[in-house]
Amino acid sequence: MPLDKLFSLGPGTSQSLHGRAVVQNYARFACRHVDLSPLPPGTILYPAAKPVGSVRVVRLPNAGVLEIESLESVRLGWTLVRVDAADSCPAGWAGERVAPIPGTETTTTVRWTFK
């Protein structure tokens, strides 16, 4: 899996009030689907971890098993505000804020074996 596919935004919900919209969706991390075999020993990775906003520092070993607890998903709340439509923003919405919704994060154990 390409590294740019590690993070994806899933479907969500929205509500609009007085020129503002609050949109919620899940950010999902696909750390367990990454093929580390092309990477040399000593490569350093920074997988997302709990608490939300933190990372783990992981150095790939020469051999053995590497097991980590990694962030799997978190629900995000996006606040959008109305702006004048323009070529760069034809829908007329701009992002004002994005923040994780407390208590919505999930983690998974990721395990790789190196020979």
Side-chain angles (χ1 to χ4, degrees), residues 55-110:
V55 296
R56 292 215 188 297
V57 178
V58 176
R59 183 181 300 270
L60 299 187
N62 288 322
V65 174
L66 175 61
E67 187 173 290
I68 63 167
E69 193 70 16
S70 175
L71 194 62
E72 184 172 44
S73 71
V74 63
R75 194 154 181 85
L76 300 174
W78 301 74
T79 303
L80 307 175
V81 294
R82 272 290 186 199
V83 296
D84 291 335
D87 289 340
S88 62
C89 184
W93 289 101
E96 180 181 67
R97 176 176 188 261
V98 62
I101 298 171
T104 62
E105 65 276 358
T106 62
T107 60
T108 188
T109 300
V110 181

Side-chain angles (χ1 to χ4, degrees), residues 4-84:
D4 64 340
K5 300 290 184 189
L6 283 178
F7 177 76
S8 67
L9 299 175
T13 61
S14 66
Q15 64 185 31
S16 184
L17 181 65
H18 306 294
R20 280 185 152 49
V22 177
V23 179
Q24 292 185 9
N25 68 344
Y26 277 97
R28 290 185 170 75
F29 302 83
C31 192
R32 64 185 163 157
H33 299 291
V34 175
D35 178 7
L36 299 180
S37 63
L39 301 176
T43 298
I44 297 175
L45 302 174
Y46 300 92
K50 278 177 79 171
V52 174
S54 65
V55 296
R56 292 215 188 297
V57 178
V58 176
R59 183 181 300 270
L60 299 187
N62 288 322
V65 174
L66 175 61
E67 187 173 290
I68 63 167
E69 193 70 16
S70 175
L71 194 62
E72 184 172 44
S73 71
V74 63
R75 194 154 181 85
L76 300 174
W78 301 74
T79 303
L80 307 175
V81 294
R82 272 290 186 199
V83 296
D84 291 335

